[in-house]
Amino acid sequence: MITEPLPALLIVQPTRARYQTIIRHLREYGDGSIGREFEFFHLDCYEALSSWYARNPGRFVSLVIIGLDFSELAESGKLLGYPELKYPVPKDFDALRFQGLLVYVFLRENGLDGDVPVLLVSEAPETEDSRRYYSFMLYPAQGACQLIYIPPGPDGPVLVAERTAALALRPLDENQRAHWRKAHQMVVGGARRMVCLAREIERLGPGESVVLVLGKPGVGKELVANALHRCSLRFVADDPVRAWPSTANIAAIARNLIEVELFGHTRGAYTGSVGEREGVFEYGNGSTVFLDEIGDISNEVQLKLLRVMENRRVK
């Protein structure tokens, strides 16, 4: 019988000694479930990380742990240089002390992996210099990234293990996949990108955040919106208003009627308005509002819509 390999947990550290310290505590943490759940790989630089991905296409990567300080790297030729990055690199940037940030930037910007969660680990206390470089970590619509400072002593490695247990991405089992098919009419297979999507829906659904769903026509944005609603506290199956999101397809509405569709109108607001009408926000109060093809609205309406989303009020 052919069995699937364990999800991979990649640890990018300059020395094997640091790597062994981390995996020892990961395997000892709690009941040892982390050691049984993942397969560990040591990579000492970005080049090794890139080569691993090239040799293992399609492998399920659950987490990448990156050390921040590479001062102990034996071969300086393995250090990353300064290509065109998302943000200009300050002249006084220390490539050894903050090499881990560059590894993370290359991971995202070179398209190596946009989904995997990343845990950046520093054994040095937080400084003003390190706070200056937090902007490197901002990659919207990509996998989560956390930077932690581990204190000296036995509690430090335990903190890494705790964050690993919380942050690592797990494949869905057959029961979970069946739940997504039945509850949300979504097929979530073994592809990591679909697992990431399912986890993000479960994470965002219970909250009150405004969520931007991106994708080409036909990829299933409305399915995602429906799943977000069903994962929320706003979903009530037997309530006609709260059973489904209140939806407006902007592309299907005449441009001169978009404001009426969104915000409603009162009697006499314009010629021909003989009664009152609820807009999509008022009708969906207490539920979820899904605005499809939102990019088709004018700049003027966008400003009004932004005001509504910020203040949660409609006039």
Side-chain angles (χ1 to χ4, degrees):
M1 184 177 67
I2 299 175
T3 58
E4 289 289 327
L6 293 174
L9 200 152
L10 311 181
I11 303 177
V12 186
Q13 290 287 334
T15 68
R16 189 160 187 85
R18 287 191 189 180
Y19 162 76
Q20 290 174 336
T21 299
I22 289 175
I23 64 169
R24 184 178 73 250
H25 285 87
L26 290 176
R27 286 171 174 157
E28 293 173 353
Y29 177 72
D31 60 355
S33 60
I34 293 179
R36 297 189 298 270
E37 194 175 358
F38 304 106
E39 184 176 0
F40 304 100
F41 295 90
H42 174 230
L43 308 163
D44 66 346
C45 64
Y46 174 78
E47 182 182 353
L49 178 65
S50 179
S51 297
W52 188 93
Y53 272 96
R55 295 192 309 271
N56 297 274
R59 181 75 185 269
F60 195 103
V61 182
S62 289
L63 180 68
V64 177
I65 300 177
I66 304 176
L68 195 63
D69 189 343
F70 275 62
S71 298
E72 298 177 19
L73 187 66
E75 301 175 48
S76 60
K78 292 183 175 181
L79 289 173
L80 290 170
Y82 302 147
E84 293 183 6
L85 298 175
K86 179 182 176 183
Y87 300 100
V89 178
K91 291 182 179 179
D92 59 345
F93 185 86
D94 190 330
L96 284 173
R97 287 180 55 212
F98 299 107
Q99 177 72 187
L101 281 177
L102 289 179
V103 173
Y104 172 69
V105 168
F106 273 63
L107 177 75
R108 297 295 193 224
E109 290 206 348
N110 286 1
L112 195 60
D113 198 324
D115 301 316
V116 64
V118 172
L119 181 63
L120 280 163
V121 178
S122 174
E123 296 175 356
E126 184 177 16
T127 64
E128 185 62 33
D129 282 345
S130 60
R131 286 192 289 270
R132 289 170 57 195
Y133 304 127
Y134 283 170
S135 58
F136 279 93
M137 299 165 58
L138 301 177
Y139 281 80
Q142 299 208 35
C145 179
Q146 290 187 12
L147 171 61
I148 63 170
Y149 291 87
I150 58 176
D155 294 336
V158 173
L159 178 60
V160 175
E162 289 176 350
R163 293 297 176 89
T164 297
L167 197 61
L169 190 68
R170 275 88 169 169
L172 300 185
D173 60 31
E174 188 52 45
N175 289 334
Q176 291 170 319
R177 294 175 189 173
H179 167 74
W180 277 89
R181 288 193 299 269
K182 182 178 180 180
H184 305 303
Q185 290 79 54
M186 290 179 64
V187 177
V188 180
R192 187 158 53 91
R193 182 158 293 183
M194 286 301 297
V195 174
C196 290
L197 176 62
R199 297 301 190 198
E200 281 295 279
I201 291 172
E202 291 174 339
R203 183 177 69 87
L204 294 170
E208 299 295 328
S209 300
V210 176
V211 179
L212 177 63
V213 183
L214 301 174
K216 296 179 181 179
V219 299
K221 296 188 292 295
E222 189 164 0
L223 281 176
V224 171
N226 292 340
L228 281 166
H229 177 64
R230 290 193 192 94
C231 289
S232 75
L233 301 177
R234 300 176 296 278
F235 170 66
V236 180
D238 56 357
D239 186 324
V241 175
R242 301 177 67 178
W244 297 92
S246 179
T247 300
N249 186 344
I250 304 299
I253 305 171
R255 287 190 173 272
N256 62 328
L257 294 178
I258 286 178
E259 291 193 38
V260 173
E261 185 71 22
L262 294 177
F263 311 124
H265 66 74
T266 59
R267 182 178 180 180
Y270 59 89
T271 302
S273 56
V274 296
E276 293 190 356
R277 177 179 175 179
E278 293 180 326
V280 67
F281 290 103
E282 189 175 359
Y283 176 79
N285 188 29
S287 184
T288 302
V289 173
F290 173 50
L291 304 180
D292 199 8
E293 303 294 346
I294 197 172
D296 290 343
I297 61 177
S298 66
N299 291 340
E300 181 183 357
V301 178
Q302 284 186 38
L303 291 174
K304 296 177 180 180
L305 185 58
L306 178 62
R307 186 78 173 176
V308 170
M309 290 192 294
E310 286 181 341
N311 297 331
R312 308 297 175 94
R313 292 176 181 274
V314 177
K315 182 178 180 182

